[in-house]
Amino acid sequence: MSSINSNMKLWLMGLFLALVVLIAKSVIDAGVHPIYVSFFQASGSALYLISTGAFKGVKLTLVKRHFSFFVIASLLGFTIPQLIVFSSVNHVGVGIASLSYALPLIVTYLISLKMGLEPFNIKGLLFLLILVVGTFAYLFRSEYILDFSGSWSWIILLSLSPISIGIANVYRSVKWPTGLPVLHVALLTNLFSAITYLFLIFILAPRFDIASSEKLNVTLLLIILMLLSGSGQFLLFSLQKSVGPVFIGQTGSIVTLFGGVLGYVFYGDSYSIYTFIGSLFIFIGVFYYSKYKLLYTQN
């Protein structure tokens, strides 16, 4: 896989996930419970992957053999973090919620370093630090700091999301099911996640509380969310085996970058000098770390 192809997939995946978060906020504001949004995201990903032919050749014996992998990978990588983010976004704001996608990079790097999956290299570490600093600078706005009152419980809950995603990034690489193609793993992981959400919906029985005038808009938005989620999952798993967990961990900062642009366009979010500095740092960090990592992988 060429470096251009890998970088393009990484940036596209970040754009798709940023759009998913934006749409999720819109439909939740319209009255859709976060569990339903999470379910549509997982089921949309599964349906998209089925449409690409991912279901062909799936062997039940291999699914049974790697059952625990799909349960753990779906819970840690999708079910738990997505439900946390979608449930807390209206309590802490889009900016703070975006950190859930940026911070897994740190968690993924530290775990990978500890397990010997990522070699310690000053140059690579420097690029990652530039990326992390840029992400925090990008999100630094006085209104986020001032709005923390009364939201600490949600912020503490939100902190579990990047930990869960970081562990999942490494887990998928280490425990990747032998004998199963990439698209099979992607499809089955999302199917397991969708089933988990269905179980939660059955237990909690949340209601749709949408005004009649909003139903058509919400339906269209959910369809778009499902398509974007499926496209993002296709890109995620196509990168997982070839470039490793830390490379994929950069997605969060790209989501933050695109999320800010989309927030400005659709919600009129304000910008500061830190935003532009952070944007520059994010671009530099992703560009140079991706280049360094891909060269290291090829060698």
Side-chain angles (χ1 to χ4, degrees):
M1 181 181 293
S2 68
S3 60
I4 294 177
N5 193 23
S6 297
N7 280 312
M8 186 179 297
K9 287 183 177 182
L10 185 73
W11 282 90
L12 276 176
M13 184 166 61
L15 173 60
F16 291 160
L17 186 52
L19 286 167
V20 166
V21 174
L22 183 75
I23 293 173
K25 177 173 172 53
S26 298
V27 296
I28 291 171
D29 287 341
V32 179
H33 194 281
I35 292 181
Y36 285 111
V37 180
S38 301
F39 168 73
F40 281 116
Q41 183 181 26
S43 59
S45 298
L47 290 172
Y48 180 94
L49 291 165
I50 289 173
S51 72
T52 65
F55 193 72
K56 295 179 181 178
V58 174
K59 298 179 180 178
L60 187 59
T61 53
L62 287 175
V63 176
K64 290 180 179 179
R65 185 186 305 170
H66 301 291
F67 181 82
S68 60
F69 170 86
F70 294 116
V71 172
I72 295 173
S74 62
L75 285 175
L76 293 179
F78 301 107
T79 306
I80 293 173
Q82 292 291 24
L83 193 55
I84 289 175
V85 171
F86 291 161
S87 298
S88 59
V89 66
N90 285 341
H91 298 275
V92 300
V94 176
I96 298 301
S98 297
L99 284 174
S100 290
Y101 296 109
L103 293 179
L105 174 61
I106 303 172
V107 179
T108 304
Y109 177 75
L110 291 176
I111 297 176
S112 298
L113 199 63
K114 178 68 175 177
M115 295 184 66
L117 301 174
E118 182 77 14
F120 179 78
N121 183 283
I122 294 296
K123 183 183 292 186
L125 179 60
L126 176 61
F127 295 147
L128 286 177
L129 288 175
I130 290 173
L131 184 56
V132 172
V133 169
T135 303
F136 277 95
Y138 187 89
L139 290 171
F140 183 80
R141 301 174 194 168
S142 60
E143 60 266 30
Y144 291 160
I145 305 301
L146 296 175
D147 283 350
F148 274 13
S149 57
S151 300
W152 281 108
S153 58
W154 286 103
I155 292 169
I156 293 171
L157 176 65
L158 196 63
S159 67
L160 298 177
S161 180
I163 296 173
S164 182
I165 295 174
I167 294 173
N169 286 340
V170 177
Y171 179 81
R172 285 195 302 267
S173 292
V174 174
K175 298 294 185 178
W176 190 270
T178 55
L180 281 181
V182 172
L183 290 183
H184 288 186
V185 177
L187 171 60
L188 292 168
T189 303
N190 280 281
L191 278 176
F192 271 71
S193 184
I195 292 170
T196 303
Y197 288 128
L198 272 179
F199 177 76
L200 291 174
I201 289 171
F202 177 78
I203 296 296
L204 300 176
R207 294 177 55 188
F208 272 84
D209 187 18
I210 310 170
S212 298
S213 59
E214 290 289 324
K215 286 184 178 179
L216 178 60
N217 289 336
V218 168
T219 301
L220 291 174
L221 286 174
L222 286 174
I223 292 173
I224 295 172
L225 180 142
M226 293 170 75
L227 290 172
L228 289 171
S229 299
S231 301
Q233 288 300 301
F234 182 89
L235 294 171
L236 168 65
F237 281 88
S238 66
L239 285 171
Q240 180 78 52
K241 283 291 288 181
S242 59
V243 294
V246 179
F247 184 93
I248 293 173
Q250 298 176 99
T251 307
S253 293
I254 299 174
V255 172
T256 302
L257 185 60
F258 281 127
V261 175
L262 295 171
Y264 173 77
V265 173
F266 292 98
Y267 288 100
D269 286 354
S270 60
Y271 286 91
S272 68
I273 186 62
Y274 298 106
T275 306
F276 295 102
I277 294 174
S279 300
L280 180 62
F281 274 46
I282 289 173
F283 181 81
I284 292 173
V286 171
F287 179 82
Y288 282 104
Y289 181 78
S290 299
K291 186 177 180 180
Y292 149 78
K293 184 62 179 176
L294 290 169
L295 284 174
Y296 174 82
T297 302
Q298 291 170 0
N299 294 331

